[in-house]
């Protein structure tokens, strides 16, 4: 039986857990370094929230480097919204960067104030039409050669994959549609 770790320092971690449990997937909350050393972890979710807060806590709890290493070693990871920002190599409108494992450049709070939060339905490659909830979301402005674009909204990249890393600028845990999580579980099987 698979165990998916969910980084539970700040943000929308409980919603991922709820959805995965509805899908009969076992989860565990990752709150400290020792939780990351569990060999039984089959995948990891970096949830939405505030990337600056989550990033600061990862540093304070001395989890950043270990997390980076586990991802580089191949641990499958799903980063949503702030989680996408944490994985990005480069944040174009912020001098901070965190895990830097994924070859993407992102813009934080990219939709500005007026369009802070919105919902839409768009195509997700290999999945079909998917409802997408954006909350003060980033989008991807630069993607390396190895990055596969999975979804775009108004020509902006909002979902992508590079090897063991899957990212969405939207919150797939908030719509009740399990297909993005299912996609991630399929990715783990590969
Ligand atoms: N605006 C947040 C950030 O920059 C991300 C928002 C979210 O995760 N819903 O980190």
């Amino acid at each position: 039986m698979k165990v998916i770790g969910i980084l539970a320092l700040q943000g929308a971690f409980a919603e991922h857990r709820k959805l995965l449990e509805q899908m009969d997937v076992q989860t565990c909350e990752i709150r400290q370094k020792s939780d990351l050393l569990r060999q039984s972890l089959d995948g990891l979710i970096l949830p939405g929230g505030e990337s600056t807060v989550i990033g600061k806590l990862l540093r304070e709890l001395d989890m950043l480097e270990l997390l980076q290493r586990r991802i580089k070693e191949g641990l499958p990871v799903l980063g949503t919204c702030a989680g996408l920002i944490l994985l990005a190599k480069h944040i174009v409108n912020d001098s901070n960067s965190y895990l830097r494992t994924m070859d993407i450049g992102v813009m934080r709070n990219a939709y500005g104030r007026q369009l802070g939060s919105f919902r839409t339905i768009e195509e997700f490659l290999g999945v079909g039409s998917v409802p997408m909830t954006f909350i003060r979301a980033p989008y991807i402005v630069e993607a390396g050669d190895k990055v596969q674009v999975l979804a775009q909204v108004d020509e902006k990249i909002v979902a992508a994959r590079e090897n063991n890393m899957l990212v969405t600028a939207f919150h797939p845990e908030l719509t009740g549609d399990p297909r993005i999580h299912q996609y991630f579980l399929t990715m783990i099987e590969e």
Side-chain angles (χ1 to χ4, degrees):
M1 174 119 181
K2 272 197 244 343
V3 181
I4 307 294
I6 304 173
L7 188 69
L9 301 179
Q10 189 262 343
F13 54 87
E15 291 80 358
H16 282 284
R17 182 163 204 178
K18 197 170 152 214
L19 181 60
L20 284 170
E21 280 172 2
Q22 283 167 3
M23 297 167 73
D24 282 327
V25 176
Q26 206 180 319
T27 61
C28 67
E29 292 188 350
I30 306 291
R31 295 179 175 274
Q32 55 196 356
K33 198 172 178 179
S34 57
D35 298 333
L36 270 177
L37 294 164
R38 282 174 61 137
Q39 290 309 309
S40 54
L41 219 53
D42 297 294
L44 177 70
I45 294 183
L46 305 177
E50 202 51 50
S51 55
T52 48
V53 175
I54 301 174
K56 184 168 178 277
L57 289 168
L58 284 175
R59 284 207 175 92
E60 283 173 9
L61 295 164
D62 191 28
M63 292 168 75
L64 200 67
E65 275 170 29
L66 178 58
L67 197 53
Q68 212 167 32
R69 191 164 76 232
R70 292 222 53 187
I71 295 169
K72 281 184 185 163
E73 284 168 0
L75 178 67
V77 59
L78 165 62
T80 63
C81 204
L84 173 156
I85 297 171
L86 293 172
L87 289 165
K89 189 160 271 178
H90 178 54
I91 307 170
V92 296
N93 56 345
D94 195 323
S95 55
N96 291 307
S97 57
Y98 305 95
L99 295 161
R100 299 170 51 88
T101 48
M102 189 162 176
D103 193 8
I104 53 173
V106 306
M107 188 180 300
R108 287 185 63 202
N109 302 324
Y111 293 93
R113 280 169 182 258
Q114 283 179 337
L115 209 55
S117 300
F118 63 98
R119 273 175 174 239
T120 187
I121 298 177
E122 271 300 339
E123 283 298 304
F124 192 105
L125 192 70
V127 175
S129 287
V130 167
M132 302 179 179
T133 301
F134 293 82
I135 303 170
R136 295 191 311 109
Y139 56 66
I140 296 171
V141 292
E142 305 154 359
D145 295 343
K146 296 201 179 103
V147 177
Q148 183 187 21
V149 174
L150 297 174
Q152 284 178 286
V153 172
D154 295 334
E155 293 171 19
K156 312 291 188 206
I157 304 170
V158 298
R161 176 178 174 183
E162 181 181 357
N163 303 322
N164 55 322
M165 295 169 279
L166 175 67
V167 291
T168 66
F170 57 92
H171 283 260
E173 78 286 9
L174 296 182
T175 47
D177 185 329
R179 287 176 297 160
I180 303 301
H181 289 72
Q182 193 56 58
Y183 183 99
F184 179 54
L185 295 175
T186 307
M187 206 173 117
I188 293 174
E189 301 283 345
E190 283 171 7

